Amino acid sequence: SEAPAQEEKEGEMQDQGPPVLKNLCILPPLQKSGTLERNEVIDRVPLPPIRSEEPVSSIRAALADVCGYSHLTNYRFELQKPLDSSVAGNQGDLPIVSPYTGVNAVVSIPVALQSLDDEQQSKDHSLVLDDYGDLSSLMEGGLQDGSAFRIVLERYDAAQIRDHVTRTRSLIAGNAPAVVSLDDVSDDKGIPAEPENTEPADEKAIVENKDKDGQPKDKNEEKKEEKMKLPTYPNVGSTIVNSKDLKNFYYHACGENPDLYLGDVPKQATKFENGSKKKKGKKGKGQAQNGTEKEDTDEDDQVEQEMRELIPKLNQLEEKTKLACSIRFSAFHPPPRSRKMLGDLAYLEVKPPGESKSIHITAIPTGFYVNKSTDAKFDPSPAAKACFSHELLDCLLQASSSFFTAWKSALEASKTRSKLMARLNADGHFACLFRVAIRGDFDGYTKPSIASADEGIDALVHSPSWMVPMSKAALESEDSWNKNGMHSANYAKTEDDLANTFGVDFRNGNSRDWNEELQMAREMPDSSLVERVDRARVINKVLSDFGEASLMGIKAISDGQIAPMNPNEPSRSQVFLHNNIFFSRAIDAGIETFKIAKGDKAARKSASRDIHCLGALHRMEKDGLYTLATVLIDYLGTRFVCQSILPGILNGEKSHSLLYGSVEAGLPLSWDKDMHELLEETMGKMWIANRPLPREPLTDERMAAIKEAKSASPLPGMSSEEEKKEEPAEPTVDMCTPIEAKGIKGSDERKYVLDMTRLTPRDANWVEKEKGGTGNWGAIQSSSPNKKSGVIPTSLDDDEWTLAVLRPELVNSYSQFLIGTYAREKKAKRDAEEKAKETAESSEKDEKSGEEAGAKDEAEKDNKEATKESPDAKEEKDLPSINDDDLDYIKSLRLNVNIFLPDIKSLEGIDDEAFAQQKKDEEVVRDVSNFLWERVLPGITSQMRTATGQQPPHDGKSLTDFLHQNGVNCRYLGRLADMAQAEEKKDAEELELAKKGMTTGMARNSMPECWLELLECEMVARAAKHVLDRYLTMNGGIAASHPAQTVASFLSAIVSSGEESAAQTENRAAKQNENEPDEEDYSALTLYDAGAIDDGTMPIRGRTGIWNDIEEEIGRRFRYSLTIFNRPAKANRTIYIPLLRRVCQKAGVRLAAKSYETGSKCYCGGGQNLAPSYPISPLDVVDIVPLMKHSAAHSGGFTPCAPGNPSSLPALHISLPDARQTLESAHVHHSGKALSRALELAQEACALYQRVAESSTHPGVVRCLDLMASILFEAGEHGLAAANQARSLGLLVQVNGFDSPDAINVHLLLFQMLFTGGKNYEAIKHMRAAIFLMELMGGPSHMEIVNAYHKLGSVYQTAKEPQLALRFFQEAASRKSSDRLLESMISKSLAAVLSQVGDFKGALEEEKKANNVFTKLLGKDHQLTKQSDQQLQLFAAAAVQQGNKAVKDIKSLEEEAVADAIASELEAEEAAEEARQKKRNNGKKKKKGRK
């Protein structure tokens, strides 16, 4: 879809642009003369108005969605004269079997083949549309309004037959067409149209911040207040968002209540209430049903009702569009030579739905016909009823009545489906994604395979989610626990898998030359905007295709489908070449290669650093300096490096030349003047200094080890002695790059830079003090004797820390800090000199005569008056001028990136001046490292405590981005956690003093608990990722071949509080349902370890072993000992769900969406058979996807990718400066309140990003939409602002998934915009979605959750719903907040609501809490404190009055009870007296009778 607006330049040139063609149409396929049975004019396909620059390929793509034409694949367009417009077009559909593709159809020879004939070559084909061009070339040939494009069918070849079969399979697999006409596609296809009002109708209203009608805002607010409608929650539990309910993950992530969709909820639960329940109860029956208020209620809550009704219908329709028909190449294919001579191209076997007998079809150049073959007999000649057609679909429709009936039903279902989707998609992009995500929870599907996530949400969301929805059909199928029902037979997939070329298109000839394509794209002209857009588009396309090809290559290598280039070498040394991409493992290749870092861990880190530096060079786009296309892919524990091939590198040493650095260890450094100057100019912009290095840089010890390794190796190598003789006498060379970097001149004469492992110096904090480090870690460890012994290493001597470098953001920050200090000192010095000069002039003036002094004073006065006349000149004078000394100082701030390196020869004795300079460079780097340690890290801790600055991190990803923006590496997570612990300890001590009354003051903010929890969670997740990778690769990678058991046991261990005993496991198994699998069922799933030798067992460990490995990795990597995770005493603070989510994201694991029993005891299965680990079983592990880090990615880090889905690749950096500059200019105008201009620039930037990315799903487009929403909201256009923000949310979810950190911020913004605009129902949904995501990512202690619940309570309080407001306020009060003032405001709000419900005693207690905090924080004279004092008096009086009344009521009840008791006694006595009297009377009668 197009961006909300086009560029301003395009709008100005619209009249001068390409002409718009109207009333065009497409005519049916050409027929033989005299055989036409229908009026083809009636069956024409009208086209919408299009420009002459419209590509022909887009017309073909649109025609592929039209009924009667969607199955055409092999045809061309020919231009015809305008038709008679008086003949009306066909408003219905063509017949099911097209009348234009049979035996009477003209099947022409392709134009390209006609050129082979000398006689045909001279023919004019100007009326034939070029499939690779546009319509502008036909303007001279007669193209005009009303022209027609005739379809002319063409002959097939064998490859085109395969393409046609693929298209037919796609149509019967659920893609039946639903469009009748192309002039109104959006209505027929059900595609959600873009909001019509994406920009305000009146710009003046924006600037003046008024409504379009010019009305002030308060009237709308009054209207909104009158119609305050909010969702009600009958159950107390439904008020609180449950982040542990992963089964309903997609509902909660969208702010929806799953009970309204899945449960049997009474109608009242889905309603909104207007005002209090008392008002509602006063209404009459008829009024409640027929009044206008009822209509408004239905209008608000019809979304859930409509989806409950329509989604099952959509599911049924989707299943109807999928025909149970298999089309495959016959067992008789390929044709024998005798039949090839007769023209046979292929043989197909089709099994129609509901039939047991197959139809055998022969494909020939002119089409398809039914032959006489059977399953046992080969006879490809035409059957009695051949059913010939140019199209396979029409042939089958004639040959099989069951296929005809099924296809007719599929067409009807497709059309009905498109209309229903149009209704549901009207709510926007985000609602569409939600509907697709939950579709499997509804009835309508009978086949679980159709309802799977692969067919649904996974096909729409680019980044594969760690939660995979499980459909209702799959869960209710027979033996649903083993998930076998989710897979169905599909011969098409079988053929595709067997014919898989793993990204190579053999039909295009040679493999793509990725490097040449990329470098040619970078060299494209960029003098105009159009040229720059085209250049950026081509670069983006090439790099995106390269990432996709690399992903498919890694999948093939992991499956053993590609042989290595050096199969005779060990696996760790093997490299692969496929599709012109060079694949290698990121492990230590041996001592012979020139490198500084040693070991596999260092090699893994070096690859990541290299791609980060290549990304920085890619963004700089320095002319004359080239880089290779590079990506890293982590898959099943192994990291692969994928690079395009440097020209000439495979053709011997003479085809390329080494200009800079060294390739082989032991050889001197090469140096080239031109290459050095090119690199120096580039590296200088990155604060990298040019420093001398020894020409032979390695130490004697390292050289001896290399010589020994070479002599032991059987492979021939170059003699380093011969190389030394050719080197000049200079012992040093000047280098401005890392010593490992290499500058190579390829066979294409371009200069490439490789192995750029760092652009900043090594971090001195991670260097031993004896080797020049700061010693900060040693001081910390010596002063903390309570550290867990054995976890934190005593030494920093680790190969991986050789790659521990400073962040570029830190270098920039430190440089700006020094430049600012230098500028202030310079200004102070200049001011002092001016003051001294004035003093000297004043003394000189006193020595002169009065007349001369007076004249001079007058001249100075005139001079001052002249200065006053030019304030700009005065301002320029105040600014320090930049001279050569200043430039030299700025240049002196460049850092040496080749210090603190192991095995590098010292310059002492070789170049003493350079050695002295190196010592100075080391001191500067120590200063930078201390700046990080002493200022940056405490600053971050203070920022988190005081809640100042930007939005706090929500999860590990946003935490990483936050630290990187501040110039901090993630290896400092442990140090930040230590500082957070110290702050928490300080808060606890202050709280104890406050309880004892030993302090009068109180700090407003305390250290948020979520900060330490988030830091430890990220450390555990990162360490767990490395430990799991080690488990998957040990024993030759045996676990990677069937990783479900290893991964499930590992995840079960990290989300549990302990390990089950054998008795506990038996008790749990005894309580399972009969339908749940037991250990025997799991063992019977597969022959798990059949034939395995003793050393080939699975590396399954128990919970204790797994956590020991994780803690050891945390101690080594972060120098920290856990205090929350894996600590029973802190179990209440352990955030299991965020940890599970983060580990799955870091490892690429995808789990079934179900609620897992986290925090309980676990069982880690293992041994010789598959075992049901708990709480996560092997069958809960749905998939493990590769993780990609692209050198040209828009943002850093690894991104999960789905092989075979090009849209799942990470979004790339847009190489178009115009887009970034336009967006930045829009921000500037927005800050300056020039809203109209800011909106125009944001729209222009959005259009530029979308043009280059060729899609709206790019982070740049999302940022533009966010800015547009902010501008419109500030201008008072709340509806338009919410519409743009909602579209931004939909695109963001499609790019990053439902639970990305940025989604939280957008949900909160949408809540504000929708609530301000009066759309309270949608606003509450987004707030609940934000709460769920915050707790899912950061745990229940997330610092923003308290504020979110308080906002919800305030909304319901405003709506006069005190009971619901009370629930939200109580939930907010039950959670600990780091802002004491916010806690007091919650208590105050809670007091107000309690007073509304009549609980004045509770209100008094809450108001006392608020008053106490107000007094300590704000003082007694503050307005809030005074108001609280008044409320206390009112609540106290009301509580006393309520208490007195209660006492009176009790006393009255007691008196009534006493009176009742006395009355009862009297009644009892009277009854007893009557009984006695009656007895006496009876006695007298008896005596009288005796007498």
Side-chain angles (χ1 to χ4, degrees):
S1 60
E2 294 184 355
Q6 298 297 324
E7 285 188 89
E8 183 182 6
K9 297 177 183 178
E10 292 181 348
E12 294 173 354
M13 299 177 62
Q14 187 173 0
D15 297 334
Q16 303 175 2
V20 177
L21 300 169
K22 301 179 181 179
N23 301 324
L24 300 180
C25 67
I26 298 175
L27 294 178
L30 184 65
Q31 303 294 297
K32 298 175 183 177
S33 59
T35 62
L36 192 61
E37 298 177 357
R38 292 172 59 92
N39 188 346
E40 62 180 10
V41 179
I42 296 179
D43 292 332
R44 70 180 185 269
V45 181
L47 291 174
I50 54 179
R51 294 182 180 273
S52 60
E53 62 183 7
E54 186 75 23
V56 177
S57 58
S58 65
I59 301 177
R60 292 180 66 102
L63 188 64
D65 293 327
V66 181
C67 293
Y69 297 90
S70 60
H71 58 309
L72 304 181
T73 60
N74 209 41
Y75 64 91
R76 65 173 182 264
F77 288 122
E78 289 187 359
L79 179 64
Q80 288 195 357
K81 296 180 180 179
L83 300 175
D84 184 6
S85 59
S86 62
V87 181
N90 189 3
Q91 298 302 320
D93 298 339
L94 286 170
I96 301 298
V97 182
S98 175
Y100 298 101
T101 62
V103 292
N104 295 325
V106 174
V107 182
S108 175
I109 300 174
V111 174
L113 295 180
Q114 294 178 19
S115 65
L116 297 175
D117 193 345
D118 293 337
E119 297 179 0
Q120 296 286 340
Q121 191 171 1
S122 60
K123 282 192 174 183
D124 183 16
H125 297 292
S126 59
L127 299 182
V128 176
L129 276 66
D130 181 9
D131 291 340
Y132 301 98
D134 53 32
L135 301 179
S136 59
S137 59
L138 297 175
M139 296 300 292
E140 297 180 358
L143 180 61
Q144 57 182 318
D145 291 349
S147 294
F149 301 133
R150 166 71 71 182
I151 296 176
V152 180
L153 303 178
E154 294 183 339
R155 294 169 63 89
Y156 292 102
D157 57 24
Q160 290 165 346
I161 289 291
R162 288 195 296 271
D163 293 340
H164 185 79
V165 171
T166 301
R167 174 60 179 167
T168 306
R169 284 171 173 170
S170 175
L171 290 174
I172 66 175
N175 298 311
V179 178
V180 178
S181 174
L182 290 176
D183 56 358
D184 196 8
V185 177
S186 60
D187 290 340
D188 293 337
K189 287 188 67 176
I191 298 175
E194 295 299 326
E196 294 180 1
N197 298 323
T198 53
E199 57 184 71
D202 187 2
E203 291 185 357
K204 188 176 180 181
I206 291 182
V207 178
E208 296 179 0
N209 197 21
K210 292 182 180 180
D211 292 333
K212 292 180 181 179
D213 298 333
Q215 297 295 330
K217 298 295 177 187
D218 52 357
K219 290 191 177 181
N220 287 338
E221 291 175 1
E222 289 174 8
K223 243 180 191 179
K224 179 189 73 176
E225 196 170 336
E226 290 174 5
K227 296 185 178 181
M228 181 74 77
K229 303 177 185 68
L230 300 171
T232 61
Y233 301 95
N235 302 322
V236 177
S238 62
T239 310
I240 312 307
V241 180
N242 183 12
S243 65
K244 295 183 179 180
D245 185 15
L246 297 181
K247 180 180 179 181
N248 298 312
F249 167 81
Y250 288 97
Y251 293 92
H252 296 305
C254 297
E256 301 285 352
N257 184 358
D259 293 337
L260 301 183
Y261 294 87
L262 305 176
D264 227 356
V265 182
K267 185 82 172 174
Q268 183 183 359
T270 66
K271 295 287 183 186
F272 295 87
E273 294 187 358
N274 184 12
S276 64
K277 293 182 180 179
K278 213 170 185 182
K279 277 187 183 177
K280 187 175 177 182
K282 289 183 179 180
K283 288 188 177 182
K285 209 171 188 182
Q287 187 179 357
Q289 291 178 354
N290 302 322
T292 56
E293 185 176 348
K294 176 69 169 60
E295 293 176 5
D296 291 337
T297 300
D298 286 344
E299 187 179 315
D300 281 328
D301 86 319
Q302 74 180 35
V303 177
E304 292 89 350
Q305 296 295 328
E306 190 173 38
M307 291 184 73
R308 288 185 64 158
E309 296 171 2
L310 295 185
I311 291 182
K313 295 180 181 178
L314 279 173
N315 294 345
Q316 293 176 357
L317 294 171
E318 183 179 359
E319 195 157 298
K320 284 184 179 180
T321 60
K322 297 178 182 291
L323 274 63
C325 173
S326 66
I327 302 176
R328 56 178 171 173
F329 285 87
S330 169
F332 299 118
H333 181 81
R337 286 175 290 182
S338 59
R339 293 298 302 187
K340 282 185 178 180
M341 297 300 102
L342 297 178
D344 291 359
L345 297 177
Y347 301 129
L348 304 174
E349 182 181 346
V350 181
K351 184 169 286 188
E355 297 184 14
S356 58
K357 186 178 179 181
S358 299
I359 300 176
H360 291 263
I361 293 176
T362 299
I364 58 177
T366 55
F368 302 83
Y369 64 81
V370 179
N371 62 34
K372 297 178 181 178
S373 296
T374 64
D375 293 342
K377 180 182 178 183
F378 174 63
D379 187 357
S381 58
K385 185 181 177 182
C387 305
F388 173 82
S389 177
H390 184 267
E391 314 303 327
L392 175 59
L393 183 65
D394 290 330
C395 177
L396 292 175
L397 289 171
Q398 299 175 64
S400 172
S401 59
S402 62
F403 186 88
F404 181 92
T405 303
W407 179 248
K408 182 179 179 181
S409 176
L411 290 175
E412 295 172 354
S414 180
K415 293 172 185 175
T416 307
R417 178 180 61 177
S418 67
K419 294 177 182 178
L420 294 180
M421 289 179 63
R423 290 171 56 186
L424 291 176
N425 292 347
D427 292 330
H429 195 50
F430 181 67
C432 298
L433 295 172
F434 169 65
R435 174 183 59 78
V436 175
I438 67 169
R439 63 176 195 146
D441 294 337
F442 294 84
D443 295 327
Y445 290 119
T446 59
K447 298 178 181 178
S449 59
I450 300 178
S452 66
D454 295 338
E455 303 279 341
I457 193 63
D458 284 353
L460 296 179
V461 176
H462 294 184
S463 180
S465 174
W466 67 288
M467 282 276 105
V468 182
M470 308 304 294
S471 65
K472 182 179 180 181
L475 296 175
E476 294 179 353
S477 62
E478 185 179 359
D479 291 335
S480 61
W481 63 272
N482 58 28
K483 297 181 173 59
N484 291 339
M486 298 176 63
H487 189 69
S488 60
N490 191 322
Y491 292 108
K493 289 184 178 179
T494 303
E495 290 180 4
D496 291 342
D497 184 70
L498 294 176
N500 193 355
T501 59
F502 313 110
V504 180
D505 188 0
F506 293 114
R507 292 167 59 180
N508 288 334
N510 294 330
S511 301
R512 295 176 63 175
D513 190 340
W514 300 104
N515 184 73
E516 186 63 21
E517 289 186 29
L518 177 60
Q519 311 312 340
M520 288 184 66
R522 287 173 173 167
E523 293 171 352
M524 289 176 63
D526 57 356
S527 57
S528 66
L529 177 61
V530 175
E531 290 178 344
R532 289 193 295 273
V533 169
D534 290 340
R535 174 181 179 273
R537 184 190 290 122
V538 175
I539 292 176
N540 187 79
K541 176 65 175 173
V542 172
L543 290 173
S544 179
D545 290 349
F546 176 81
E548 182 185 358
S550 300
L551 195 63
M552 298 181 71
I554 290 300
K555 196 76 170 67
I557 291 172
S558 301
D559 293 340
Q561 302 282 5
I562 299 175
M565 297 176 63
N566 48 346
N568 57 331
E569 296 186 17
S571 295
R572 66 182 296 110
S573 302
Q574 288 179 351
V575 294
F576 302 83
L577 182 63
H578 175 71
N579 199 6
N580 268 341
I581 301 176
F582 190 77
F583 300 92
S584 61
R585 294 182 176 90
I587 54 180
D588 193 351
I591 199 171
E592 296 86 358
T593 305
F594 180 73
K595 59 184 182 298
I596 300 302
K598 295 177 292 185
D600 289 347
K601 293 178 181 178
R604 188 183 181 97
K605 183 68 175 177
S606 177
S608 180
R609 295 301 316 157
D610 182 32
I611 204 168
H612 176 78
C613 298
L614 288 178
L617 294 176
H618 170 74
R619 286 169 172 79
M620 290 189 66
E621 298 190 20
K622 172 64 179 174
D623 292 339
L625 190 64
Y626 297 89
T627 58
L628 301 177
T630 310
V631 298
L632 289 185
I633 296 179
D634 279 3
Y635 186 51
L636 294 176
T638 302
R639 176 166 294 178
F640 293 91
V641 182
C642 315
Q643 282 186 321
S644 59
I645 300 175
L646 191 146
I649 198 71
L650 301 177
N651 300 328
E653 297 180 0
K654 294 183 179 180
S655 59
H656 66 281
S657 56
L658 177 66
L659 302 179
Y660 213 73
S662 179
V663 174
E664 185 178 352
L667 297 183
L669 297 175
S670 300
W671 193 85
D672 179 78
K673 181 179 179 182
D674 294 337
M675 188 72 180
H676 178 74
E677 292 176 353
L678 184 63
L679 287 169
E680 186 177 17
E681 183 181 355
T682 306
M683 298 297 112
K685 299 176 182 178
M686 300 181 178
W687 302 99
I688 298 178
N690 180 29
R691 294 290 187 264
L693 286 175
R695 183 175 291 276
E696 296 179 358
L698 298 181
T699 59
D700 295 338
E701 293 81 4
R702 182 70 178 272
M703 291 294 294
I706 293 171
K707 186 175 181 181
E708 182 180 355
K710 284 185 176 182
S711 61
S713 175
L715 298 177
M718 181 185 298
S719 174
S720 58
E721 299 295 331
E722 297 178 1
E723 190 73 20
K724 285 180 183 178
K725 294 176 183 178
E726 299 177 1
E727 290 298 328
E730 289 81 359
T732 62
V733 291
D734 290 340
M735 295 194 72
C736 56
T737 62
I739 194 171
E740 310 98 303
K742 303 164 185 60
I744 299 178
K745 185 177 182 180
S747 59
D748 58 353
E749 299 300 318
R750 297 188 181 102
K751 296 176 181 178
Y752 296 87
V753 59
L754 283 73
D755 294 343
M756 191 68 68
T757 53
R758 61 187 174 277
L759 296 175
T760 53
R762 188 178 171 187
D763 190 349
N765 290 325
W766 294 82
V767 179
E768 290 283 353
K769 189 173 183 180
E770 295 77 12
K771 298 180 181 180
T774 59
N776 288 327
W777 276 119
I780 289 293
Q781 195 162 7
S782 61
S783 63
S784 303
N786 59 340
K787 293 286 183 181
K788 188 175 180 181
S789 60
V791 175
I792 301 176
T794 58
S795 171
L796 287 170
D797 190 11
D798 192 312
D799 290 335
E800 190 171 352
W801 301 142
T802 307
L803 279 304
V805 298
L806 300 171
R807 293 285 308 178
E809 297 87 349
L810 176 69
V811 174
N812 291 333
S813 176
Y814 183 72
S815 300
Q816 292 172 6
F817 170 75
L818 292 182
I819 291 173
T821 304
Y822 174 81
R824 288 191 296 271
E825 292 176 352
K826 181 180 178 181
K827 185 176 183 302
K829 183 179 179 181
R830 187 187 63 177
D831 293 343
E833 291 176 353
E834 290 180 355
K835 187 175 181 180
K837 184 178 180 181
E838 290 177 358
T839 303
E841 291 177 353
S842 177
S843 302
E844 184 180 353
K845 194 192 315 180
D846 293 340
E847 294 176 359
K848 293 183 178 180
S849 61
E851 294 180 359
E852 292 178 353
K856 190 170 184 181
D857 289 341
E858 196 68 26
E860 288 180 356
K861 184 178 179 181
D862 294 340
N863 189 21
K864 288 181 180 179
E865 290 295 332
T867 307
K868 283 183 181 179
E869 292 176 2
S870 178
D872 294 338
K874 183 177 184 298
E875 186 176 348
E876 291 179 2
K877 183 180 178 182
D878 292 338
L879 291 174
S881 59
I882 297 179
N883 51 34
D884 293 339
D885 294 338
D886 300 333
L887 294 176
D888 291 340
Y889 176 77
I890 294 175
K891 190 174 181 180
S892 68
L893 299 179
R894 297 180 180 179
L895 303 178
N896 186 354
V897 296
N898 292 312
I899 55 175
F900 303 131
L901 301 181
D903 299 325
I904 296 298
K905 190 181 299 184
S906 172
L907 286 168
E908 188 176 10
I910 300 176
D911 189 335
D912 293 338
E913 184 180 351
F915 178 73
Q917 180 62 48
Q918 188 179 54
K919 290 299 179 183
K920 293 179 182 178
D921 293 339
E922 292 179 357
E923 185 63 32
V924 171
V925 172
R926 280 191 290 270
D927 291 341
V928 180
S929 301
N930 284 322
F931 176 79
L932 168 64
W933 187 273
E934 298 169 359
R935 292 178 63 98
V936 179
L937 296 179
I940 290 177
T941 303
S942 175
Q943 181 178 340
M944 296 307 302
R945 180 183 182 92
T946 58
T948 57
Q950 56 185 357
Q951 186 79 18
H954 298 297
D955 70 338
K957 176 69 170 61
S958 55
L959 171 65
T960 302
D961 295 339
F962 170 74
L963 294 180
H964 287 175
Q965 289 169 7
N966 287 273
V968 179
N969 301 86
C970 287
R971 58 179 174 271
Y972 284 100
L973 288 170
R975 176 57 183 158
L976 288 171
D978 285 334
M979 300 174 78
Q981 284 187 57
E983 293 295 321
E984 287 189 3
K985 184 178 179 181
K986 178 181 175 183
D987 292 336
E989 293 173 352
E990 290 182 356
L991 186 61
E992 286 296 323
L993 293 176
K995 287 181 179 179
K996 296 177 181 178
M998 300 175 64
T999 178
T1000 56
M1002 181 185 296
R1004 172 176 173 176
N1005 297 101
S1006 61
M1007 195 67 191
E1009 290 185 350
C1010 67
W1011 178 238
L1012 178 58
E1013 295 168 3
L1014 188 60
L1015 291 170
E1016 286 206 7
C1017 179
E1018 183 64 10
M1019 282 189 281
V1020 173
R1022 286 173 174 266
K1025 198 261 185 194
H1026 290 281
V1027 173
L1028 181 58
D1029 286 348
R1030 189 164 72 242
Y1031 290 172
L1032 291 174
T1033 54
M1034 63 192 307
N1035 289 342
I1038 183 175
S1041 60
H1042 35 80
Q1045 181 71 77
T1046 302
V1047 173
S1049 299
F1050 185 85
L1051 295 179
S1052 297
I1054 65 174
V1055 297
S1056 59
S1057 58
E1059 194 162 7
E1060 288 181 341
S1061 63
Q1064 289 173 331
T1065 303
E1066 291 180 3
N1067 291 336
R1068 176 175 55 80
K1071 296 177 182 178
Q1072 289 182 347
N1073 298 328
E1074 294 181 359
N1075 297 331
E1076 296 184 18
D1078 55 16
E1079 195 163 349
E1080 292 182 0
D1081 294 328
Y1082 274 90
S1083 299
L1085 279 175
T1086 180
L1087 296 177
Y1088 192 56
D1089 234 1
I1093 57 178
D1094 293 339
D1095 60 352
T1097 56
M1098 295 289 293
I1100 303 297
R1101 288 168 170 76
R1103 183 184 182 278
T1104 302
I1106 291 173
W1107 272 105
N1108 286 341
D1109 290 343
I1110 291 175
E1111 291 203 43
E1112 182 180 352
E1113 187 70 17
I1114 291 174
R1116 185 190 72 84
R1117 189 170 294 276
F1118 304 104
R1119 308 192 67 78
Y1120 181 75
S1121 178
L1122 294 175
T1123 60
I1124 297 177
F1125 288 85
N1126 198 31
R1127 300 292 182 268
K1130 296 290 185 69
N1132 60 327
R1133 289 188 63 182
T1134 305
I1135 47 177
Y1136 294 106
I1137 297 297
L1139 176 61
L1140 176 63
R1141 170 183 175 271
R1142 190 62 178 148
V1143 172
C1144 289
Q1145 289 180 336
K1146 297 288 290 182
V1149 177
R1150 306 189 71 200
L1151 297 178
K1154 56 185 287 189
S1155 297
Y1156 297 100
E1157 292 293 331
T1158 58
S1160 60
K1161 297 293 183 70
C1162 75
Y1163 169 66
C1164 300
Q1168 298 300 319
N1169 296 315
L1170 194 66
S1173 55
Y1174 179 82
I1176 301 174
S1177 75
L1179 293 177
D1180 292 328
V1181 180
V1182 178
D1183 192 13
I1184 299 179
V1185 296
L1187 302 167
M1188 177 184 290
K1189 186 175 185 180
H1190 205 299
S1191 61
H1194 180 270
S1195 57
F1198 285 86
T1199 303
C1201 302
N1205 184 8
S1207 62
S1208 70
L1209 300 177
L1212 301 184
H1213 167 75
I1214 298 298
S1215 302
L1216 184 65
D1218 303 76
R1220 297 190 297 275
Q1221 293 168 4
T1222 305
L1223 184 58
E1224 291 171 0
S1225 180
H1227 279 288
V1228 171
H1229 282 83
H1230 182 211
S1231 302
K1233 304 301 180 184
L1235 302 183
S1236 180
R1237 179 58 179 160
L1239 183 62
E1240 294 174 2
L1241 290 170
Q1243 292 169 343
E1244 182 179 344
C1246 185
L1248 291 174
Y1249 275 115
Q1250 189 167 344
R1251 272 202 219 167
V1252 175
E1254 297 182 344
S1255 172
S1256 58
T1257 52
H1258 189 274
V1261 178
V1262 175
R1263 288 166 52 204
C1264 293
L1265 289 172
D1266 288 339
L1267 178 59
M1268 291 163 59
S1270 300
I1271 295 171
L1272 291 168
F1273 184 73
E1274 189 171 341
E1277 297 285 345
H1278 303 143
L1280 294 175
N1284 279 276
Q1285 197 67 68
R1287 185 161 178 253
S1288 167
L1289 176 62
L1291 295 177
L1292 180 66
V1293 167
Q1294 193 169 357
V1295 173
N1296 297 327
F1298 285 87
D1299 57 342
S1300 67
D1302 293 333
I1304 296 178
N1305 303 328
V1306 179
H1307 278 298
L1308 294 174
L1309 287 173
L1310 267 172
F1311 165 78
Q1312 184 66 35
M1313 294 176 180
L1314 291 169
F1315 183 73
T1316 306
K1319 296 184 178 180
N1320 310 302
Y1321 173 47
E1322 293 87 351
I1324 295 296
K1325 280 186 178 182
H1326 287 289
M1327 178 57 80
R1328 289 177 65 84
I1331 292 175
F1332 172 77
L1333 294 177
M1334 284 189 284
E1335 192 162 339
L1336 177 79
M1337 299 181 196
S1341 301
H1342 192 287
M1343 63 180 69
E1344 293 295 323
I1345 291 182
V1346 175
N1347 191 25
Y1349 274 115
H1350 183 232
K1351 286 182 179 179
L1352 285 178
S1354 301
V1355 170
Y1356 279 91
Q1357 184 181 17
T1358 305
K1360 300 179 181 179
E1361 290 288 345
Q1363 293 294 340
L1364 289 173
L1366 180 61
R1367 293 188 205 169
F1368 286 115
F1369 285 142
Q1370 287 174 339
E1371 180 63 23
S1374 67
R1375 297 175 183 256
K1376 187 174 181 181
S1377 172
S1378 60
D1379 189 345
R1380 295 190 173 95
L1381 187 59
L1382 176 60
E1383 288 182 346
S1384 63
M1385 295 303 296
I1386 294 172
S1387 298
K1388 189 171 182 62
S1389 300
L1390 195 55
V1393 175
L1394 287 171
S1395 67
Q1396 291 179 17
V1397 298
D1399 185 2
F1400 294 104
K1401 185 177 180 181
L1404 181 62
E1405 293 298 323
E1406 294 297 331
E1407 192 65 40
K1408 282 182 180 178
K1409 294 179 184 177
N1411 186 271
N1412 184 34
V1413 176
F1414 288 154
T1415 303
K1416 290 184 177 180
L1417 285 181
L1418 307 176
K1420 296 182 179 180
D1421 297 331
H1422 196 273
Q1423 187 67 24
L1424 280 176
T1425 309
K1426 294 179 180 178
Q1427 290 178 359
S1428 181
D1429 292 337
Q1430 296 175 0
Q1431 290 294 326
L1432 275 176
Q1433 296 176 5
L1434 294 175
F1435 291 154
V1440 171
Q1441 185 178 359
Q1442 189 180 40
N1444 293 335
K1445 183 180 178 182
V1447 171
K1448 289 180 181 179
D1449 292 341
I1450 293 173
K1451 188 174 182 181
S1452 176
L1453 289 174
E1454 290 177 350
E1455 291 175 353
E1456 290 178 1
V1458 171
D1460 291 341
I1462 295 173
S1464 299
E1465 290 178 3
L1466 292 175
E1467 290 177 357
E1469 289 178 0
E1470 290 177 358
E1473 183 62 28
E1474 288 180 0
R1476 287 194 297 271
Q1477 186 64 33
K1478 190 174 181 180
K1479 190 175 181 181
R1480 284 195 295 268
N1481 292 337
N1482 291 335
K1484 289 180 180 180
K1485 288 181 180 179
K1486 287 180 181 178
K1487 288 180 181 180
K1488 193 174 181 180
R1490 287 194 196 106
K1491 290 178 180 179

